[in-house]
Amino acid sequence: MQFRDLKAQYKALKPEIDESIHEVLDTGNYILGNPVSELEEALAKYVGVKHCVTCANGTDALTLVLMSWGIGEGDAIFIPDFTFFATGEVVSFEGATPVFVDVDETTFNIDTNKLEIAIEKVIADGTLTPKAIIAVDLFGLPANYEEIEKIARKYNLKVLEDSAQGFGGEINGRKAGSFGDAATTSFFPAKPLGCYGDGGAVFTNNDELADLIKSYRFHGKGDYKYDNVRIGMNSRLDTIQAAVLKVKLKAFEEYELADVNRVANKYTELLKDFVRTPAVSEGYYSSWAQYTLVLENEVQRNKLQAALSKVGIPTMIYYPKPMSQQRAFAHEKHFNNDLSVTEKLCKQVLALPLHPYLTDGQIKFVCKNISDNII
Ligand SMILES: *Cc1c(COP(=O)(O)O)cnc(C)c1O
């Protein structure tokens, strides 16, 4: 059994993907060829925003937004303590300070009460200027943007939606990637919508921001390629990856997102009576980047993981360590925020195999082995 079966997906889409890749090879436009702009248009339409600007990966997408906002030394950026490293890395990379905020125990997303406490603390401390919140749609579930945007307005902060794991999710029919002042996603192969290498994108309704990001991703270009008006990056999505994504976006819309929800719902139905299964609040829709159980404690979690591994069921621990405890952030100013939920979750979580091509038989096999080893 595969944790995320990318080969099964390729098999299902092979003729169309091969044809799409070969079209690029035949035209020879390997950098920013037509499929890139066609994909950007399709993605913007899907998400329901004015602009989609693709780039080399999800980490660069975050960096491009922070660069465009002029984030740098002396700025405080609030991020969840329970996320993938890149969310905080990009902040330190720009010379700003990531301020870690605890997450909600049931949604795994940033705790908005603790967010406000953290902002007040930074203001009282007075050494940093609060500038932005990076909210993460962890494991596919959108963060609580109604509350986050309220807090952002109160303290005059920008909101960046890190939807690397959230593409396809929704809140009351509004798609992930459309929240905040800007949003980003990743097309890393194992993300909800993945390509066959690295890729990423920025989404925004702001014309000026979209133009700036197009400049920053291409060596800070001005009117044309050899007119350079700012220090930027080389961060473009390859035409071949765009060609792959065009085919995969169609499959994602037509059945993959529905199928991954079918798998997640089946897991919940079979597991909810004896283990804590992931919650999806009323009005929310998840794209299920991960299906994450919360076990009683570290001993039970590790025992279960070992038992499942023995029968060939791969599982993952996302994430074993809070951001605030990463050595890479040891030099950053810490504010003694209450991060107790993240600390607990890191010892309790276990992600199960999940992808649109998982069969009912496989789901039942996983659930039976969980029940056999838990009770
Ligand atoms: C994967 C991920 C990223 C980074 O995306 P890459 O394409 O791997 O650079 C950023 N944030 C979160 C939450 C992620 O899961």
Side-chain angles (χ1 to χ4, degrees):
M1 192 182 305
Q2 301 267 322
F3 187 73
R4 199 161 190 101
D5 198 342
L6 299 172
K7 276 192 281 185
Q9 184 196 45
Y10 175 57
K11 231 168 137 187
L13 300 171
K14 184 173 170 21
E16 286 166 87
I17 286 179
D18 288 2
E19 193 192 327
S20 197
I21 290 174
H22 277 106
E23 267 172 39
V24 178
L25 296 178
D26 287 336
T27 61
N29 292 323
Y30 307 126
I31 301 293
L32 298 183
N34 288 338
V36 176
S37 46
E38 287 160 15
L39 175 73
E40 287 175 338
E41 231 169 85
L43 287 169
K45 189 165 164 242
Y46 177 80
V47 166
V49 295
K50 239 169 121 181
H51 306 282
C52 167
V53 185
T54 54
C55 61
N57 55 68
T59 308
D60 281 3
L62 292 165
T63 295
L64 286 163
V65 174
L66 296 184
M67 282 174 103
S68 302
W69 286 347
I71 300 297
E73 205 180 326
D75 295 336
I77 311 296
F78 300 86
I79 71 157
D81 198 30
F82 194 51
T83 179
F84 177 63
F85 183 63
T87 314
E89 180 182 32
V90 295
V91 175
S92 295
F93 193 77
E94 291 307 303
T97 304
V99 178
F100 306 103
V101 179
D102 211 2
V103 295
D104 181 274
E105 202 167 0
T106 55
T107 64
F108 308 125
N109 285 326
I110 200 162
D111 180 321
T112 51
N113 292 321
K114 289 181 180 172
L115 170 63
E116 196 160 358
I117 293 168
I119 296 168
E120 292 281 1
K121 246 190 199 173
V122 170
I123 293 171
D125 175 76
T127 53
L128 299 171
T129 313
K131 281 283 173 72
I133 301 158
I134 305 181
V136 177
D137 302 334
L138 203 73
F139 305 150
L141 185 72
N144 183 350
Y145 289 99
E146 200 183 330
E147 284 304 314
I148 291 165
E149 286 175 357
K150 232 187 262 170
I151 293 169
R153 274 194 298 276
K154 180 169 168 190
Y155 295 96
N156 195 24
L157 306 176
K158 290 215 184 291
V159 175
L160 171 49
E161 177 191 4
D162 178 352
S163 202
Q165 301 180 17
F167 189 84
E170 289 178 17
I171 306 175
N172 295 321
R174 203 176 138 185
K175 285 258 181 347
S178 71
F179 298 100
D181 298 281
T184 60
T185 198
S186 162
F187 304 122
F188 181 83
K191 305 281 164 132
L193 178 65
C195 60
Y196 291 158
D198 279 307
V202 177
F203 300 95
T204 184
N205 284 313
N206 186 316
D207 301 344
E208 229 173 284
L209 180 65
D211 283 345
L212 266 178
I213 285 164
K214 279 182 205 158
S215 168
Y216 274 116
R217 79 168 169 182
F218 204 134
H219 303 292
K221 82 177 171 69
D223 290 338
Y224 62 101
K225 192 174 164 182
Y226 299 107
D227 174 35
N228 305 93
V229 298
R230 53 181 66 86
I231 301 300
M233 302 164 73
N234 173 11
S235 183
R236 299 168 302 232
L237 181 73
D238 295 346
T239 310
I240 286 181
Q241 297 303 341
V244 169
L245 281 166
K246 271 177 60 186
V247 175
K248 299 222 319 180
L249 176 62
K250 233 175 98 222
F252 185 83
E253 282 192 72
E254 281 171 9
Y255 58 88
E256 280 193 348
L257 182 58
D259 282 349
V260 87
N261 269 275
R262 166 191 61 80
V263 173
N265 292 337
K266 189 85 193 167
Y267 268 143
T268 300
E269 180 196 320
L270 297 177
L271 294 172
K272 67 177 184 329
D273 292 335
F274 54 92
V275 58
R276 214 175 98 198
T277 53
V280 178
S281 324
E282 180 79 35
Y284 283 65
Y285 186 72
S286 177
S287 59
W288 297 106
Q290 304 299 340
Y291 187 92
T292 301
L293 299 179
V294 180
L295 283 306
E296 305 263 329
N297 53 47
E298 195 170 14
V299 174
Q300 190 194 44
R301 191 264 310 270
N302 293 354
K303 258 192 184 161
L304 178 62
Q305 183 172 42
L308 293 178
S309 171
K310 230 184 216 166
V311 292
I313 299 171
T315 58
M316 301 290 280
I317 296 171
Y318 296 124
Y319 294 94
K321 210 187 227 191
M323 283 296 102
S324 54
Q325 290 177 22
Q326 293 289 359
R327 184 141 66 100
F329 295 125
H331 67 287
E332 298 289 7
K333 193 175 168 68
H334 287 257
F335 286 85
N336 278 323
N337 289 325
D338 169 18
L339 301 166
S340 53
V341 172
T342 301
E343 282 155 20
K344 256 179 68 189
L345 285 174
C346 287
K347 297 189 168 92
Q348 296 173 299
V349 287
L350 191 67
L352 301 183
L354 181 70
H355 55 82
Y357 302 89
L358 211 61
T359 63
D360 271 1
Q362 288 175 310
I363 299 167
K364 281 183 192 148
F365 178 68
V366 172
C367 295
K368 186 182 178 306
N369 278 282
I370 293 173
S371 75
D372 286 353
N373 284 289
I374 253 186
I375 301 166

